[in-house]
Amino acid sequence: MDTLRFDRHQLWNVLNTSRTIGSEMGHQLYCLQTLMLNMYETRMNTPADPDDPNVQKQIDSLTKICFDVDNETAQSGNRKSTLYRKLGFQDQSNPGNDFSLNTPPGLLALDNICYFSNKYQESCVKVVLENCTRADEHDCPFIKASIMLTKTLCEILRIGEPPQEEETAYYPMLFSHDKPFEEFFCICIQLLNKTWREMRASMEDFPKVLGVAKEQITRALQNQPPTFDAFRVRLNQLTYAEIIRLWERERKSKEEDQAQAAPIIELRKMITPEMKELIRQQRLNYLIEGSKFPKYTTRGRTKEKYWQWKLTPNLKAFHYGDCAENDNLPLEKLNNKLPVSDIKSFVTGRDCPHIKDKKEKTRMAPTGTLPKTKFKTDTHHMFRRPTDHAFSMTTTSFAIQHVNSDTNDMYCFVAKDEVEFDMWTDGLNVLLGHEMRSTQMYKDLNMLLDMEIRIRLLDAEGIAIPNEPPPIPPEPENYDFAFPEL
């Protein structure tokens, strides 16, 4: 053991030099790391004997350290069972079974727990007591967590697997300690407890928490931390919130890469007409449901008057009528009627007759009336200009006769917000046979296209989509196909 320790220290001195490690040296270090870690394989595959006095002695020692009780105090059956439950044993009558039934990691999990409780008593007690103070449904059982984490760490480090050819992934920190796997476990069990707290997890979330912890550990190892302290610092940076942010960024990056693939571009073009038709139908349904507007004429706002407009289900005419501010009248009570065939066109913004002649002071906030700090960002909402959401419908008779604003040949509106404005202008464009061009239409179209493509690509999850179609195989020498005789 002394010779082995000396060799490890010599190797650690080599790793600390400024010389760059080449691929051949990296492979040799990986092979050495694999052989070193495989020394834990026997303990990993050995189930604990529940009747072994040494196993029970280790469990009693753990109980004493975590709860500061002596063996005599913990002799009664009920007292023991309570302490075992707080520690997170599944079998509280014979706790050794937890390390027997869960093999792997078997005895290796018990070794890790004992190492943690003996060398880092304060941290171990903190983890156990923190879970004891949580509600039962939010308790993270220390023993179960340690067993499952040990198994996960064995998978990450590939304990029990032979060295792979041309593999160069080694971790310098594992060569810096006489008990590398145990030290690795001590850091990771505290990480698991921290992640459990950040996720506010319950027992049903145990697999999810373990998956997040595995992701944190794997990402921290990618930088090949030189020491366990550096590994701990990197883990503290990879919080649960940071992992979620990284996953989201990677998902978006993957989707963006897929969106540039030629087959996906072709698919988007193919389904765009179908998605536009859905949007057109939705816009018409919005007009059928109707909206209420402040009443305007070409001279401006009619004070404290409102009218309601609804499109008939057959799309032939608009019904409208005066209403109160809080009314929602059915179609039958809207006595006025405007056939869609009479609508020649519509205009928006400053082209509207009830807007374009208004002076600037009626559309902008007076100078000096706004607070300079707290409400500065709300200026646009407090003093919204009518031009932003104004539109007017022109009828056939207005276009021919050019009558004045006192007739019903020009219908003027100001929508309550941008969504209502986009819905109505899109709907009018559909009724008039024009293309929809609103901002909301492009947002809806992109959303529907993205959702439809995701649904269609569910069966191709995990399959790389090529940029080019596969080559067409060559033609056969002849077309004399043989058919089986009936």
Side-chain angles (χ1 to χ4, degrees), residues 188-309:
C188 293
I189 189 64
Q190 295 176 74
L191 166 76
L192 181 65
N193 187 65
K194 175 174 171 285
T195 302
W196 184 283
R197 181 172 63 251
E198 291 173 348
M199 295 177 64
R200 300 179 181 178
S202 60
M203 283 301 299
E204 291 78 10
D205 301 320
F206 194 93
K208 182 179 178 181
V209 177
L210 196 63
V212 173
K214 184 176 181 179
E215 184 74 11
Q216 292 169 310
I217 296 166
T218 303
R219 287 180 182 271
L221 289 174
Q222 288 175 353
N223 296 332
Q224 292 184 304
T227 64
F228 282 108
D229 287 338
F231 176 64
R232 184 184 291 104
V233 169
R234 181 58 182 150
L235 281 180
N236 289 333
Q237 295 171 348
L238 292 170
T239 62
Y240 174 60
E242 178 66 11
I243 291 295
I244 293 297
R245 189 185 67 81
L246 291 173
W247 279 343
E248 182 66 18
R249 187 176 67 183
E250 291 170 358
R251 181 188 65 80
K252 289 182 178 179
S253 177
K254 181 180 178 181
E255 290 178 353
E256 289 174 359
D257 291 342
Q258 285 186 343
Q260 301 305 316
I264 301 300
I265 294 174
E266 188 64 26
L267 178 60
R268 286 179 72 92
K269 290 180 179 178
M270 184 177 67
I271 64 178
T272 293
E274 181 182 349
M275 298 301 103
K276 283 187 175 180
E277 182 57 35
L278 286 175
I279 295 173
R280 280 193 286 268
Q281 189 58 51
Q282 192 267 347
R283 298 303 194 257
L284 293 175
N285 289 338
Y286 189 90
L287 268 57
I288 290 172
E289 185 177 349
S291 295
K292 179 175 54 191
F293 302 95
K295 197 164 185 179
Y296 277 81
T297 68
T298 54
R299 295 179 179 178
R301 172 74 187 274
T302 303
K303 191 174 182 180
E304 297 182 358
K305 285 193 176 182
Y306 296 85
W307 55 357
Q308 194 160 7
W309 283 71

Side-chain angles (χ1 to χ4, degrees), residues 358-383:
K358 298 299 176 186
K359 295 181 180 180
E360 185 70 16
K361 65 180 181 179
T362 64
R363 292 185 272 108
M364 299 296 294
T367 303
T369 59
L370 292 177
K372 293 183 178 180
T373 55
K374 184 176 180 181
F375 301 105
K376 187 175 182 180
T377 57
D378 294 329
T379 304
H380 179 68
H381 299 284
M382 293 169 60
F383 297 94

Side-chain angles (χ1 to χ4, degrees), residues 16-63:
N16 272 336
T17 63
S18 58
R19 186 181 62 179
T20 303
I21 303 295
S23 58
E24 180 61 30
M25 178 62 75
H27 177 68
Q28 295 301 324
L29 290 170
Y30 156 75
C31 292
L32 177 60
Q33 171 185 280
T34 301
L35 296 175
M36 180 179 68
L37 291 174
N38 281 350
M39 296 174 64
Y40 292 94
E41 182 181 6
T42 301
R43 300 290 287 179
M44 179 184 74
N45 293 323
T46 302
D49 181 0
D51 299 324
D52 186 346
N54 290 328
V55 171
Q56 187 60 48
K57 182 179 179 181
Q58 288 175 306
I59 294 173
D60 290 340
S61 175
L62 173 66
T63 306

Side-chain angles (χ1 to χ4, degrees), residues 11 16 20 51 70 85 94 108 116 150 153 166 181-182 200 202 206 221 248 297 332 334 348 394-395 430 482:
L11 178 60
N16 272 336
T20 303
D51 299 324
D70 53 34
R85 179 181 61 79
N94 192 351
L108 184 57
F116 181 46
T150 300
L153 297 182
E166 300 183 0
F181 189 74
E182 290 86 343
R200 300 179 181 178
S202 60
F206 194 93
L221 289 174
E248 182 66 18
T297 68
E332 297 77 18
L334 301 175
T348 62
T394 306
T395 64
V430 172

Side-chain angles (χ1 to χ4, degrees), residues 88-106:
F89 282 102
Q90 304 299 301
D91 189 341
Q92 294 151 21
S93 59
N94 192 351
N97 281 327
D98 284 34
F99 305 101
S100 174
L101 300 176
N102 295 286
T103 304

Side-chain angles (χ1 to χ4, degrees), residues 320-333:
Y320 64 95
D322 294 341
C323 66
E325 183 177 1
N326 298 321
D327 284 347
N328 185 15
L329 302 178
L331 186 69
E332 297 77 18
K333 292 190 177 183

Side-chain angles (χ1 to χ4, degrees), residues 25 68 113 187 225 281 285 354 411 438 464:
M25 178 62 75
D68 194 22
I113 293 171
I187 296 174
Q281 189 58 51
N285 289 338
H354 61 302
Y411 299 90
S438 72

